[in-house]
Amino acid sequence: MIGLGTLVNCAAIIAGSLAGAILQRGFPDKWKETLLAGMGLCTFVIGLNMAQKSANIIYVVVSIALGILLGEWLDIDGHLNRFGKWVEGKLLRGKEAAPGKHSLGDAFVSASLLFCIGAMAIIGSITDGITGDHAILFAKASLDFIMSLVLASTLGIGVALSAVPVLLYQGSITLLALWMQSFMTDAVIAELSATGGIMIMAIGLNLIGVTKLRLANMIPGIVVIILITAI
């Protein structure tokens, strides 16, 4: 079923948010830290497995390099952060949350940016639309369940609202990929998966705390690898 991966992802976010809100006072910080590290390791392994699918690794190297240069030039990461702050300002309307509490808007914006921006969301949605393979989005759902649990235990139930933009964002990418299905050959899919795998490995390293990469600036590499492989 096309789109099943996104539906499961949204359900995981809602379930994790509810669990986090319930456990808000009884979820030790060290548990959160260890869970995030564990999810980071799992994410790294998922990316590593995908990265090995390339039949032309030089295409992947060139695409990552050009993608990063383009992303840094466009400052995608910076624009997204500024957009997040702008949206938060509009939602809060100059109001601040009560002492010791986080606003609904803060929780919604923080979670939405976390769950929507990233290689797993894009690559997983494309794969879902082209091949009907939900594996990447199912893995993302597991990760987002833990992340939403941790976020909701800190920011509150507003994290659950982020399931809406995730549904719209990933669902749109899946439908677009379905429309482009005839253009996406096996060779393109293989190199796209390998390039996306490297980006997913970067997500894992960031979650573990090994790096602080500006992941959004790597996203143009996805477009570059499709063009290079197709040509």
Side-chain angles (χ1 to χ4, degrees), residues 63-82 206 212-221 224:
S63 297
I64 291 290
L66 291 179
I68 289 175
L69 290 175
L70 182 59
E72 290 288 347
W73 178 62
L74 294 173
D75 190 24
I76 297 175
D77 189 82
H79 287 307
L80 286 174
N81 285 329
R82 286 189 287 274
N206 273 10
K212 293 183 179 180
L213 300 172
R214 292 184 290 276
L215 298 176
N217 289 346
M218 300 177 70
I219 292 177
V224 176

Side-chain angles (χ1 to χ4, degrees), residues 116-137:
C116 289
I117 306 304
M120 289 189 84
I122 297 175
I123 298 295
S125 298
I126 291 175
T127 304
D128 191 349
I130 295 174
T131 67
D133 184 357
H134 315 303
I136 297 175
L137 288 184

Side-chain angles (χ1 to χ4, degrees), residues 8-219:
V8 171
N9 196 170
C10 292
I13 290 172
I14 294 173
S17 300
L18 292 174
I22 293 173
L23 298 173
Q24 196 163 8
R25 296 182 179 180
F27 204 64
D29 289 338
K30 63 178 182 180
W31 290 16
K32 300 176 187 178
E33 182 180 346
T34 306
L35 276 172
L36 287 178
M39 291 301 99
L41 290 171
C42 291
T43 302
F44 182 86
V45 172
I46 292 170
L48 180 62
N49 183 58
M50 291 175 59
Q52 298 177 44
K53 295 181 179 180
S54 175
N56 298 282
I57 192 63
I58 188 63
Y59 290 178
V60 176
V61 173
V62 172
S63 297
I64 291 290
L66 291 179
I68 289 175
L69 290 175
L70 182 59
E72 290 288 347
W73 178 62
L74 294 173
D75 190 24
I76 297 175
D77 189 82
H79 287 307
L80 286 174
N81 285 329
R82 286 189 287 274
F83 173 72
K85 292 179 180 178
W86 178 81
V87 172
E88 182 178 357
K90 291 295 183 179
L91 289 173
L92 295 178
R93 298 182 184 278
K95 298 179 182 179
E96 295 184 358
K101 294 185 178 181
H102 295 270
S103 70
L104 192 70
D106 184 30
F108 169 71
V109 171
S110 298
S112 295
L113 291 176
L114 177 64
F115 299 144
C116 289
I117 306 304
M120 289 189 84
I122 297 175
I123 298 295
S125 298
I126 291 175
T127 304
D128 191 349
I130 295 174
T131 67
D133 184 357
H134 315 303
I136 297 175
L137 288 184
F138 284 171
K140 181 177 181 290
S142 300
L143 176 62
D144 287 355
F145 174 82
I146 300 298
M147 297 292 286
S148 60
L149 190 154
V150 172
L151 282 175
S153 70
T154 304
L155 302 179
I157 194 61
V159 173
L161 297 176
S162 63
V164 175
V166 168
L167 176 64
L168 297 175
Y169 176 68
Q170 294 183 183
S172 297
I173 295 176
T174 296
L175 291 176
L176 178 62
L178 183 62
W179 177 70
M180 295 176 59
Q181 192 171 21
S182 59
F183 172 75
M184 304 296 284
T185 64
D186 291 342
V188 173
I189 294 173
E191 302 308 321
L192 177 63
S193 295
T195 304
I198 292 177
M199 297 180 189
I200 291 173
M201 289 169 66
I203 294 174
L205 292 175
N206 273 10
L207 286 173
I208 298 169
V210 175
T211 59
K212 293 183 179 180
L213 300 172
R214 292 184 290 276
L215 298 176
N217 289 346
M218 300 177 70
I219 292 177

